[in-house]
Amino acid sequence: MQTYGGDPIPKTATAGHLRLVVGTLFSDCGVPDSMLEADRVLGHVLGVTRASLHAHPERTVGEKNFARIIELSIRRAAGEPSAYLIGSSFFCGRSFAVDRRVLIPRPETEVLASVADRFIKLVGAQGVFADWCTGSGCIAVTLLADNPGWRAYAVDASGDALAVARENAARYGVSDRLTLIECADPIEARKIIPVRSLDLLVSNPPYIPSHELATLETQVRDFEPALALDGGQDGADILRALLEALPGFMKPTAPMFFETAGEGQIEAVRHFSRDAVLEKTFADHRDISRFALFAAR
């Protein structure tokens, strides 16, 4: 038998007992919301809801599931995000496949998707948008699923990230309306996206200053892809490159929505492009002016 804190854990422990052991482990290792995280691990391995887990603590956990729960619990205690352990994360009410090839969708980015969706519905039943630095594709897939007459391009510098986006597009039946483009230089996309063709652009680019990466919390710094986080010396390198190149893809006055680090970063880039003008900023759930609306000239 294995032990934790001197308490023997048989390989056929009940779900209730194992839940307490895992929750204690997480608490001792500083994992926030330790019991909720324990429920996520057990629920994923056992294939049950949290309510069912609580309602039937006497459920026997077999040896195979026991070993899997212990494995995932050790990884979570070491800082690996639970979304990577279970292979999915929710965004705008849908479950998206995620792994260490892509960032885990953040709640604040749902604001970006919501603002873009409102504009799409103002444009009409049909149109074309691009999601630059798409990662898991959660923004592009969400907007396409909610707007069946629209088409989109999902662009990313990482082919690995685009593989995850492809999986999510297939999951929600939008693959036939989504073109995936791998390119690091936005200008390269002109081989596929016609100039002056986009009704809307949305982007959540890397915006963390390089020198701050080492200060990020463990589950971000050690597990999420640096390529999707590192925005250069001041965090705005990618944003500047996009503001310089992307207006040429837009229809006149078409909006470009960006997620940023906040007002300071927006101010640092607002005059960078002669082909786009800052029209408005939007706050996230924490009242940080994180989102910027630029209009193509």
Side-chain angles (χ1 to χ4, degrees):
M1 290 189 295
Q2 300 187 31
T3 63
Y4 177 74
D7 183 24
I9 311 169
K11 290 186 177 181
T12 55
T14 64
H17 180 56
L18 193 51
R19 174 179 178 268
L20 291 176
V21 170
V22 172
T24 301
L25 170 65
F26 289 169
S27 178
D28 289 350
C29 292
V31 176
D33 302 317
S34 56
M35 293 310 300
L36 174 60
E37 291 288 282
D39 288 347
R40 285 173 176 165
V41 170
L42 268 72
H44 170 66
V45 174
L46 300 177
V48 298
T49 65
R50 191 182 188 203
S52 177
L53 189 64
H54 289 195
H56 300 285
E58 76 286 356
R59 178 186 282 109
T60 298
V61 178
E63 187 171 342
K64 183 178 179 180
N65 284 338
F66 176 94
R68 181 63 172 158
I69 289 169
I70 295 302
E71 175 202 347
L72 296 185
S73 297
I74 292 172
R75 289 165 59 185
R76 183 67 188 98
E80 186 169 350
S82 58
Y84 289 161
L85 299 179
I86 67 177
S88 65
S89 181
F90 277 91
F91 182 81
C92 291
R94 292 182 174 90
S95 176
F96 286 87
V98 295
D99 58 33
R100 293 180 65 171
R101 294 173 291 178
V102 297
L103 288 182
I104 298 167
R106 275 28 177 205
E108 53 265 29
T109 305
E110 293 185 357
V111 176
L112 183 67
S114 177
V115 171
D117 183 69
R118 288 200 296 271
F119 180 83
I120 283 174
K121 287 176 169 52
L122 288 175
V123 172
Q126 295 183 333
V128 183
F129 71 88
D131 174 17
W132 228 278
C133 305
T134 192
S136 67
C138 61
I139 297 176
V141 171
T142 294
L143 295 177
L144 288 176
D146 290 340
N147 299 280
W150 280 65
R151 295 180 295 108
Y153 300 95
V155 187
D156 205 284
S158 168
D160 286 341
L162 289 175
V164 179
R166 182 177 293 107
E167 178 182 346
N168 285 317
R171 175 180 294 194
Y172 291 105
V174 302
S175 300
D176 60 332
R177 294 185 285 125
L178 182 64
T179 300
L180 302 175
I181 303 174
E182 180 181 354
C183 70
D185 183 350
I187 299 299
E188 295 177 7
R190 290 185 178 178
K191 300 173 184 177
I192 300 175
I193 305 176
V195 298
R196 295 294 185 181
S197 66
L198 299 179
D199 296 286
L200 170 77
L201 182 133
V202 61
S203 179
N204 180 16
Y207 55 71
I208 305 296
S210 300
H211 67 275
E212 291 184 10
L213 294 179
T215 69
L216 297 175
E217 58 183 338
T218 299
Q219 66 176 18
V220 177
R221 181 192 66 230
D222 293 347
F223 295 96
E224 299 200 63
L227 181 64
L229 295 167
D230 192 347
Q233 184 174 357
D234 66 351
D237 284 1
I238 309 299
L239 185 55
R240 289 190 188 93
L242 296 181
L243 280 171
E244 181 177 18
L246 298 189
F249 293 101
M250 311 303 298
K251 293 179 180 179
T253 74
M256 300 183 294
F257 295 99
F258 295 96
E259 181 168 333
T260 75
E263 288 186 46
Q265 199 169 80
I266 294 172
E267 187 62 30
V269 302
R270 66 177 300 176
H271 299 300
F272 185 78
S273 174
R274 292 176 297 178
D275 298 319
V277 59
L278 177 65
E279 290 202 342
K280 193 174 183 180
T281 61
F282 302 88
D284 65 13
H285 300 300
R286 294 179 292 170
D287 204 31
I288 298 173
S289 295
R290 187 176 300 279
F291 310 103
L293 164 59
F294 287 84
R297 295 184 188 273

